[in-house]
């Protein structure tokens, strides 16, 4: 697939993959991109995951059409992009590797049975330029987006930013993600923790004239859509809510807590609020986390289990904390048949996060009664 004349995307879809990084559910598959630049010199920007390497290598050879591969630029060592490096080293013995110094240390660990020719390794530093003829790749260091060794490349002639994992998403190439749900779930899940590093990157990107962003996952983002993605990244990186909606997250065993959450949902909708409800026992755990970042208001309906928070709810709150969740209004509703503890324990967990306002705590004993209903109606008005 041509990105623009003489820049070919030889990436592959993996529609059958169901888990990304062994934990994120991917209903719509995943895309791995790998870019070939054809100029006086030929240059490959990143390789590909093991599951799709066979077709990728055939496509690479077809696109090279008998030419040698002069350069391999390695932006990121995570194996979903770096797994197929040995195929390149075997087929193109004199290929020159361009990589960060931190990346080379990881590469040596991954390929611990391979002897590198040091004459063929170039360490890229911030602002270095690799000239391929008409195309020139300027290197931009991007640590922790999403590993510490990451760099990006700005092709100065076509004004294309090869952005590594940044601006990627779940879903195959043609998946329609207009509402950004799979971009957000990917971002919050994978780099949500590293907002300050993403802000640094956005500052650097602000100094570049960019015609398109070519990430390692998802589709190439052309100029007319760039504003939407840059705005979203700017909010995500600074932990700003995207809207004043309400996200309700529920754990329930016999349905009484779920009933109470749906009662509040209905009251909120009647009051004109947009509500996103996630029933953690069944719904996607990571989408619940992503939507908790998206909305300004978070309501938890929780139960106590073994004198602790019900396991899936506890893991969800841990998931928020891991990703630097902050700056939200939180409402806690617990349900217990004896000795409810969920609110107390959740408050302790949230106290370790920045700028979380616990604005209300309510308790239900076993099943919502009339008083609880009135409290929830009043809470809906308050929110
Ligand atoms: Fe898509 Fe961090 O690898």
């Amino acid at each position: 697939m041509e990105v623009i004349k003489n820049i070919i995307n030889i990436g592959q879809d993996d529609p059958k993959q169901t888990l990304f990084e062994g934990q994120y559910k991917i209903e719509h598959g995943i895309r791995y991109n790998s870019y070939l630049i054809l100029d006086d010199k030929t240059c490959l920007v990143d390789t590909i995951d093991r599951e799709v390497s066979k077709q990728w290598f055939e496509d690479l050879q077809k696109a090279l059409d008998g030419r040698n591969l002069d350069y391999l630029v390695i932006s990121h060592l995570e194996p979903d992009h770096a797994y197929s490096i040995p195929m390149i080293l075997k087929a193109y013995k004199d290929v020159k590797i361009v990589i960060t110094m931190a990346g080379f240390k990881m590469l040596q660990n991954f390929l611990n049975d391979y002897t590198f020719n040091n004459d063929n390794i170039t360490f890229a530093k911030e602002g270095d330029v690799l000239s391929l003829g008409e195309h020139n790749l300027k290197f931009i260091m991007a640590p922790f987006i999403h590993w510490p060794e990451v760099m990006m490349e700005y092709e100065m002639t076509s004004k294309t930013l090869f952005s590594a994992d940044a601006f990627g998403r779940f879903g195959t190439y043609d998946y329609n993600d207009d509402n950004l749900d799979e971009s957000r779930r990917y971002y919050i899940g994978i780099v949500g923790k590293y907002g300050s590093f993403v802000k640094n990157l956005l500052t650097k990107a602000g100094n570049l004239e960019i015609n398109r962003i070519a990430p390692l996952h998802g589709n190439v983002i052309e100029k007319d859509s760039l504003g939407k993605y840059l705005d979203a990244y700017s909010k995500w990186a600074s932990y700003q809510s995207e809207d004043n909606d309400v996200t309700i997250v529920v754990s329930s065993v016999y349905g009484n807590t779920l009933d109470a959450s749906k009662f509040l949902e209905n009251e909120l909708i009647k009051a004109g609020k947009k509500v996103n409800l996630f029933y953690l026992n069944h719904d996607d755990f990571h989408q619940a986390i992503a939507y908790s970042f998206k909305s300004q208001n978070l309501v938890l309906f929780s139960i106590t289990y073994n004198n602790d928070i019900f396991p899936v709810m506890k893991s969800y709150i841990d998931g928020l904390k891991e990703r630097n969740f902050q700056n939200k209004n939180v409402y806690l509703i617990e349900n217990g048949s004896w000795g409810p503890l969920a609110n107390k324990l959740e408050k302790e967990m949230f106290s370790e996060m920045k700028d979380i306002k616990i604005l209300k705590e309510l308790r239900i004993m076993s099943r919502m009664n009339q008083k609880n209903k009135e409290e929830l109606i009043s809470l809906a008005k308050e929110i």
Side-chain angles (χ1 to χ4, degrees), residues 20-21 76 78 80-81 146-147 165 186 190 216-217:
F20 183 74
E21 288 189 352
H76 182 20
E78 193 163 14
D80 54 337
H81 312 294
H146 115 254
W147 281 10
D165 272 339
Y186 166 94
I190 289 157
L216 288 177
H217 297 288

Side-chain angles (χ1 to χ4, degrees), residues 16 25 64 89 171 192 230 232 336 347:
K16 294 199 182 109
K25 287 183 191 162
L64 280 169
L89 300 181
L230 289 167
K347 253 172 92 172

